Each structure stands twice: as structure tokens, then as C-alpha cells.
Amino acid sequence: MVLGGLMAVSTSPVLAADTVQLDLADSVRMALENNRTIKQAYANVDNARWSLSQVRRQMGPTLSWNTTAARVGGKASNNVEFNNYGNTGAVTMPLFNEELNAARASAKYALNAADLTLENTKQSTVQYATQYYYNILQYRNMIKVYQDNVDTLQAHLDQVNAQYRVGTVAKSDVLASKVQLANAQQSLVTAQNNYDVAVSTLNNLIGLPTDTVLELKDELQYTKYDLDLDACTNYALLNRADGLAAYYTVKQAEAGVKSARAGYLPTVSASGSDAIAGTRPFKDNNTTSDVWSVGVTASWNLFDNGVTSAGIHAAEADLLKAQEASAATDEQIRLDVRTELLNLRAAEKNIQTTSVAVSQAEEDYKIAQVSYNAGVGTNLSVMDAEEKLTEARTNYYTALYTYNTSKAALDKAMGIPVDL
């Protein structure tokens, strides 16, 4: 039944305001299936594949057929008018053409780059789906924190009102408690709105109507991450899709230089033809000529007034640009990995410290509440303790959220493959 439900999510249209149960794997899968940027990247791959096929086919034989038909007359034909037909068939095939060879290599590298760009797009989509999923979990936790805050302050206000009615506390305690409760209610409304926006954002990414109600099966958790900076960086430099795509862009530029230098080299092709002409459309007894030829044609541009030289310099400039872009990409990869790993480690430390802080804040609030009820504490102390408890809980869930999103960002920075 569970499997059937998951299949229904991916294969049948979801009506507005339906409720869908998802886990992180479902969200990632649906995002990969429905993301329009990925579909555009697939189209780019098809374009590159057909461009390569087009160049490859230019290296093979071609067959052409030429037909002419005319009415001939005049003094040269003794003023006799007659029909004249001509048919010529020709086969040509390149034997040596460095420009075509370079174009074929360039098209191969372009296809590799398009494949890697597609993979990079998929990896980005995985990161977005993961982050949007964690956003919902985080705001769900925030709703719980602020709801607990509202419930606690409401109970405290009820107690303050009871004490005020018997004259044991001042009215200022009642007013201060009401203000504190109103602020907490406002924070709860904001958290609820953030949750609704986060749900709509994930729905949009995974291809569901934006008003679909999502029930997420996961909770934010801490799972220790053991890889160090060097291991993460080396893996990223070897596997990250945009880094590899930049490498193939350099190779494509190198092929462009070879293509430009081909202007200094000859081109050689083989050809064969058969031509017939006569008073009837095709060969018969009235044919006036029947000529065939087989041979090799060589062409060499000995002087082009510097056109080839200028083209080579332009191609070399493109190569330098691609090399610098590739080096910049590698530098960015190193920075991305280091940044996300540092964020991950910082969040890991914060999880430990904020977890202790929550326990201490809970104990502090209980002490403040008991002291106030016994008449030896102040209302300000109770509200201050409650505020610190809410802040500690918020910091804990924020650290947990930052840790998980940093892990997703680190996976992207390292180039953890999707389909590569």
C-alpha cells in the first residue's frame, strides 16, 4: 500500500489542496523528474549530440545529382530546334581536411561539456530540494517552539491574573505578562507563515500544486560527518561537474586553435562523376555525350592576406580565456568545499552547546516560576527566563538546521553524483 501511494504521487496529477506524504528521497526524486531547468539541459545535450553527428557525417561520402533540360536552336544548330538534356552524378569524400577533424574534436568536447552541465544542474536541483525540505522541517520546529512559548506564557498569565485578583501582585505584572504573550503570539504567526511559504516553495520545485498540503516523514537529526578537508577537496577537484565541464571547454578551445591553423594546410578529397547529355532525358541512342571521371582534388590556399593568422590569434585568445576560467573554477571549488565544511563544523559545535543550553534554560525557568509562585521572585525574572528558554530552543533547532543544510551544500560543493 505504501509503494502504491508513492507511485501515485509520481504518476497521477495531484488535485488542489490534496495531502501528500513525502520523505526526503521522494522530494529529490520528484524534483529531478519535474524540474524544467533539467529538461532544458537535456535539450542542450541533444543539440550537442546532433551537432557532433553533423560534423562526423561531413567526413563521409556525399552523392549529388544534377539534371538540366533546355530547348536549343539557332544558327549553330542549322536553325533546327531540339531538346537537350543533361544528367550528372558525382560522389565526393574528404581524404584530408584538418578543419573538419578539429571541428569533430570540438563537437565531442562540447557534448562532454553538455553532459556535465546536465549533471551539475541535477546536483543543484538535489541541493535545492534538500534545502527546501529542511526549510519546512525547520519552520515546523519553530512553530512548535513558539506554540510552547505561547502556551507557557498563557498559563503564566492565568496564574498572574489569579494572584492579582487576590491582591498579591501588582497590575504591572498582569500588563507585562500580556505584552509578553502578545509578542509570542506574533512570533507564532510569523513562523506559521514561513512554514506555509516553505511548503509552497517545495511544491513548486517538485511539480505539485502550490497549495498542496505536505506531511513530511522526517525530522532534523544530527549524523556525524567524518571526512576531512583534504579528502573533500580532492574528491571535488576530480568529480565536480562544473570543474570537468570547464576542462572540456579548454579542450574545445584547443580544437578551435587547430581548426584555425588548418587554414595553412591543404585539403584533399576524392571524387567520381558520370555525365550524360542528349536529346532525351536519359541515355539512349540519341545521346550526344557520355563522360565519366575519377580522381583526387587538392586545394591549398597559399596566401590569404593574413586571414588565417588573425583567426589563429583569436582562437588562442579564446583558449587563454577558457584556461583562466577553468583555473578560476578550480579555485572556486576549493573555496566552496572549505566554506561548507567550516559551516558544517561550526554547526556541529553549536548543536552540542545549544543542547546543553536548552537543558539549563528549562531548569532556570522552573526555578524562576517556583520562586514567583512562592512570592520571592519577580514577574520580570519569569519572563526573562521564558525568553531565554525560547531563544535556547530556537538556537538548537537553528544549529541542527544549519548542520543539515551545510551537509547538503557540501555534497553539492564536492560534486556527489546523481547520474554521472
Side-chain angles (χ1 to χ4, degrees):
M1 292 177 63
V2 172
L3 178 61
L6 292 178
M7 293 177 63
V9 169
S10 61
T11 60
S12 62
V14 178
L15 300 178
D18 276 358
T19 299
V20 177
Q21 291 186 344
L22 291 176
D23 59 16
L24 180 58
D26 295 330
S27 300
V28 170
R29 173 179 53 80
M30 294 175 66
L32 291 173
E33 290 174 353
N34 296 291
N35 186 266
R36 297 191 181 279
T37 305
I38 291 178
K39 294 178 181 179
Q40 295 175 35
Y42 270 117
N44 289 335
V45 172
D46 286 340
N47 180 282
R49 182 177 292 109
W50 285 112
S51 295
L52 174 59
S53 176
Q54 182 181 25
V55 175
R56 280 177 171 171
R57 292 178 184 277
Q58 291 177 12
M59 302 293 293
T62 60
L63 172 64
S64 64
W65 183 268
N66 183 40
T67 298
T68 62
R71 183 70 174 172
V72 180
K75 294 180 180 180
S77 61
N78 297 322
N79 293 321
V80 176
E81 296 184 1
F82 60 92
N83 295 327
N84 186 42
Y85 299 95
N87 295 279
T88 303
V91 177
T92 60
M93 181 175 179
L95 297 180
F96 177 80
N97 191 318
E98 187 63 17
E99 184 176 1
L100 286 179
N101 289 333
R104 179 174 59 181
S106 177
K108 288 172 63 177
Y109 296 135
L111 176 57
N112 290 338
D115 281 329
L116 291 165
T117 300
L118 170 61
E119 173 66 19
N120 188 55
T121 303
K122 290 181 179 180
Q123 292 177 13
S124 296
T125 301
V126 170
Q127 182 188 4
Y128 291 142
T130 303
Q131 180 177 340
Y132 296 165
Y133 188 89
Y134 287 153
N135 285 347
I136 297 176
L137 297 181
Q138 169 68 354
Y139 290 127
R140 187 173 69 183
N141 288 333
M142 289 299 96
I143 290 174
K144 179 181 178 181
V145 169
Y146 291 125
Q147 184 63 63
D148 289 344
N149 188 26
V150 168
D151 294 341
T152 300
L153 290 175
Q154 181 64 60
H156 177 66
L157 177 60
D158 293 341
Q159 188 173 7
V160 172
N161 278 324
Q163 292 179 333
Y164 173 71
R165 284 192 294 269
V166 298
T168 57
V169 299
K171 187 174 182 180
S172 60
D173 285 1
V174 177
L175 295 177
S177 298
K178 287 183 177 180
V179 171
Q180 190 84 345
L181 176 59
N183 291 337
Q185 290 171 335
Q186 182 178 358
S187 298
L188 177 59
V189 171
T190 301
Q192 182 64 60
N193 181 71
N194 290 337
Y195 175 84
D196 293 338
V197 171
V199 169
S200 297
T201 303
L202 180 60
N203 282 333
N204 182 68
L205 181 68
I206 64 180
L208 295 177
T210 54
D211 60 348
T212 302
V213 178
L214 298 181
E215 293 182 0
L216 305 189
K217 304 175 183 178
D218 298 307
E219 297 286 347
L220 286 176
Q221 296 179 349
Y222 166 71
T223 303
K224 186 173 178 56
Y225 192 80
D226 293 324
L227 293 181
D228 59 17
L229 178 60
D230 289 339
C232 293
T233 302
N234 292 335
Y235 184 93
L237 291 173
L238 290 174
N239 294 278
R240 197 159 126 171
D242 55 343
L244 296 174
Y247 164 78
Y248 282 114
T249 301
V250 171
K251 301 300 290 183
Q252 189 176 2
E254 290 175 351
V257 174
K258 291 183 179 180
S259 177
R261 289 175 177 169
Y264 288 139
L265 301 175
T267 60
V268 181
S269 60
S271 62
S273 65
D274 187 9
I276 57 176
T279 58
R280 294 182 179 274
F282 296 98
K283 183 178 179 180
D284 61 13
N285 292 332
N286 295 309
T287 297
T288 59
S289 66
D290 185 351
V291 179
W292 60 268
S293 67
V294 176
V296 176
T297 301
S299 176
W300 198 341
N301 192 357
L302 299 180
F303 178 74
D304 61 2
N305 198 30
V307 173
T308 297
S309 177
I312 291 173
H313 288 304
E316 288 175 341
D318 287 338
L319 173 59
L320 178 60
K321 178 181 176 181
Q323 289 171 337
E324 291 298 325
S326 179
T329 300
D330 286 345
E331 292 172 355
Q332 187 64 47
I333 289 173
R334 294 178 184 275
L335 177 60
D336 290 346
V337 172
R338 182 177 182 84
T339 299
E340 300 306 337
L341 188 58
L342 288 174
N343 291 338
L344 183 76
R345 296 306 182 204
E348 185 176 34
K349 295 177 182 177
N350 288 335
I351 289 173
Q352 299 170 359
T353 56
T354 55
S355 176
V356 175
V358 168
S359 300
Q360 294 172 342
E362 290 174 345
E363 183 178 359
D364 182 55
Y365 176 76
K366 291 178 182 179
I367 294 173
Q369 184 70 41
V370 171
S371 298
Y372 181 77
N373 293 339
V376 295
T378 64
N379 186 53
L380 181 61
S381 298
V382 175
M383 291 188 296
D384 183 61
E386 170 59 27
E387 184 176 350
K388 290 180 179 178
L389 175 58
T390 301
E391 182 181 4
R393 288 172 173 170
T394 300
N395 290 340
Y396 171 73
Y397 285 121
T398 300
L400 204 57
Y401 166 78
T402 303
Y403 180 84
N404 282 275
T405 53
S406 296
K407 174 62 171 62
L410 180 58
D411 286 346
K412 174 62 176 65
M414 291 173 59
I416 301 298
V418 177
D419 292 323
L420 188 63

